[in-house]
Structures are given as structure tokens and as C-alpha cells.
Amino acid sequence: MEPRGALLVMYGCFTAGKPEPEGIARVLAAAFGVPLRSVDVSPESEMENRNGDASVTCDYEYLSGDLACNLSVYGAKEVAPQPSEEELTRALARGLDTVVLTSWGRMPWIRKVVTPQGGMTFARVEFLEGEGEGCLVTATETALAVFPRAVVERFPEVVRGFPVATPLADGLLAGADRNSPAGDVRDLVWAWEALISRMAAGWPPSDWYGAAMYGEDLENRDRLAAAVEALPADERAQAEAVVESLDAAFREGTADDGGRALAAALEGGSEGFASAPWYWRRRPVALPWETEE
């Protein structure tokens, strides 16, 4: 059932605990700033006995697996202001005293996790087949007692998928076909600028960046040098100016250690970097892979 009035926001989340409908209603009333009588919380399968005057509705479904309940919340247009997804997720976690998982980015197998204490981490989930089967939480970035079978590990796809500012790459050779040499240069410049932006921002969202990922970015920088050389003179001049600016920013955020830190993390000898381009011999000032398990 939809609340009366045009829908403004739909929220969806999973809970580790099995909340009671009355508790859900109280949290939603507080989060949306409406009277308790204006909230309808009903099983997803319930088609009758709904509150037709509700301005906030919640369909819930109890599940098996690691996640006990799926919540779908709707707020009507007349309810303003609406809480953000972040605000509602934290309110549910705190008010229901349970871990809450909500969507993150464009990867349905990755979920953002909020704890009742306000902590935040990420989980990798596997959706089970069959109606009402729910999900398995196969891994988390931080150990959570509620998911004792989950492996604790880092999620490279979360780091790669986290949006970062790339203004120089965005403005470079804007009309280039993606499959052209100029398009290749744009992609490689984007990867180089993304690394530098992540470093400047403190390696969001988990304060971590794998050594192997850092090495991949340096390999892309190798390819960038060759790709720029293959451009026509006018395009090459534009690209060279951008790369020079990014290289300066990279130098500012790194220190020359001869490649020792990266070589140690990759279990190789730093002497292998002796003849490599200069950026292979520089490390982030604060190593983002020191916290790897």
C-alpha cells in the first residue's frame, strides 16, 4: 500500500534483528516527525486492514538467513522535510537496537552497515533463492558479533566505487570518442587523478587502499605516458599540461623511499624499481595498506 499523496521518497533496508511492528512505527513517527497514528506498519503480504490515512507506511517481511527482516518505507509528499537515507538508517539502528543494512552505490551485493552505536562498515551479501529466504552475510570489513560466520576482509570494489573528484580529467578532450586514442588517454588520466584525489582525501571511505591497487594505478600511469605520445600534436599538448599538473600533486602527497614500502607490501625487492619511472619510487606519506590483515 502507498501512503495518500504523491510519494516523495522510498527507503529500503534489512535488519539483523527481528523488530516488532510497534517498535518500527515508533521509530518512523519520530524520524519523519509525524504522529504515531499517521504511520502504518504492515506485513508485505497484507492487502487489507491498512491505515488508509497514513502519511508514512512500512511494509515488512520476516526472512530466514542472516538478515531477519526486510523493510520498505514510503513517505508521502506532505511529510516535509523527509529524513535522508543515512538519517533514517541510523534512527532505525538506534531505535530498534539492531544492525541495519542499506544499499550502497550500484553494487547490490555490497551493503552499508550501521550499528546501534552509530558505527558504520560494509558487508558483502549473497541473496538466497526462493521467496522469504533472505540473505547470507559472507564478509564484513569490520568484525560484527551478529554475523559470526562472515569473513573479515577489505573490499576493493567499495574503494574503487567510491566517487572522487576528477575535474582535470573531466575537462580533458571532452569531445573524444571513448574508443579513440584520445578516449584512452582520458580514461588513464581519470585513473591517475582518482588515485591522487583518494590520497588527498585520506583514502575514503574506509581509510584503506591496497598495495596491489596502488601498483595497478602506477601501471596505468606507465600506459598513460605511451598513450599521450601517440596523440596528435594539439591533443598531446593539452594532455601533457594536465599530466604535468597531476604529477606535481602526486609528488606533493608522496615521499621518495626508493620503492621500499611498496616492494615490501608486494613481497618483492625494491631494486626492481631502480630503473622504473620516478613515481614507482614514491610512497604515500601515510601508508594506506598498513592496516591490511
Side-chain angles (χ1 to χ4, degrees):
M1 173 186 174
E2 298 178 355
R4 59 187 174 86
L7 294 182
L8 183 60
V9 179
M10 182 273 180
Y11 311 78
C13 63
F14 294 92
T15 65
K18 189 175 182 179
E20 295 295 330
E22 295 80 6
I24 299 171
R26 285 193 295 270
V27 173
L28 294 180
F32 283 85
V34 299
L36 188 59
R37 64 178 180 275
S38 296
V39 179
D40 178 80
V41 178
S42 300
E44 184 180 53
S45 58
E46 178 65 55
M47 295 294 106
E48 300 178 356
N49 302 316
R50 295 273 188 128
N51 178 1
D53 293 325
S55 55
V56 176
T57 66
C58 175
D59 296 341
Y60 69 88
E61 180 185 17
Y62 292 140
L63 308 169
S64 59
D66 291 332
L67 302 178
C69 187
N70 182 21
L71 302 178
S72 298
V73 179
Y74 304 86
K77 185 176 181 179
E78 63 263 24
V79 180
Q82 300 270 347
S84 67
E85 183 179 58
E86 178 80 12
E87 291 168 339
L88 183 59
T89 301
R90 292 188 178 279
L92 288 167
R94 181 176 59 253
L96 300 177
D97 193 27
T98 185
V99 167
V100 177
L101 284 75
T102 189
S103 60
W104 186 84
R106 298 182 179 181
M107 294 174 280
W109 64 93
I110 297 293
R111 297 280 159 162
K112 185 166 65 175
V113 182
V114 176
T115 68
Q117 297 76 30
M120 193 276 289
T121 188
F122 293 93
R124 188 177 289 121
V125 301
E126 176 184 344
F127 291 88
L128 302 176
E129 295 183 0
E131 186 176 352
E133 289 299 323
C135 309
L136 293 180
V137 177
T138 60
T140 57
E141 281 204 330
T142 303
L144 296 171
V146 72
F147 304 129
R149 295 176 295 178
V151 175
V152 178
E153 64 183 25
R154 297 292 187 175
F155 297 168
E157 65 266 46
V158 168
V159 177
R160 291 294 195 200
F162 189 84
V164 292
T166 55
L168 295 181
D170 295 343
L172 177 63
L173 305 173
D177 185 287
R178 185 176 181 83
N179 297 316
S180 68
D184 291 340
V185 167
R186 280 198 70 191
D187 288 345
L188 291 168
V189 168
W190 181 91
W192 188 229
E193 187 172 14
L195 169 66
I196 295 164
S197 293
R198 290 186 178 106
M199 183 163 53
W203 309 105
S206 302
D207 304 319
W208 171 85
Y209 202 71
M213 299 165 66
Y214 185 81
E216 290 171 2
D217 290 329
L218 299 186
E219 290 173 353
N220 282 331
R221 177 62 180 82
D222 289 342
R223 287 191 280 272
L224 174 58
V228 169
E229 284 298 315
L231 291 176
D234 58 336
E235 293 181 342
R236 184 169 65 248
Q238 295 179 54
E240 286 174 342
V242 168
V243 173
E244 182 179 350
S245 178
L246 292 174
D247 285 351
F250 181 79
R251 285 189 176 92
E252 185 176 344
T254 57
D256 190 338
D257 74 337
R260 290 187 296 275
L262 181 59
L266 298 178
E267 300 181 352
S270 59
E271 60 274 6
F273 296 145
S275 60
W278 60 271
Y279 40 84
W280 282 94
R281 297 189 293 277
R282 299 188 69 87
R283 48 156 283 179
V285 174
L287 290 182
W289 53 79
E290 284 187 330
T291 57
E292 287 182 319
E293 298 294 330

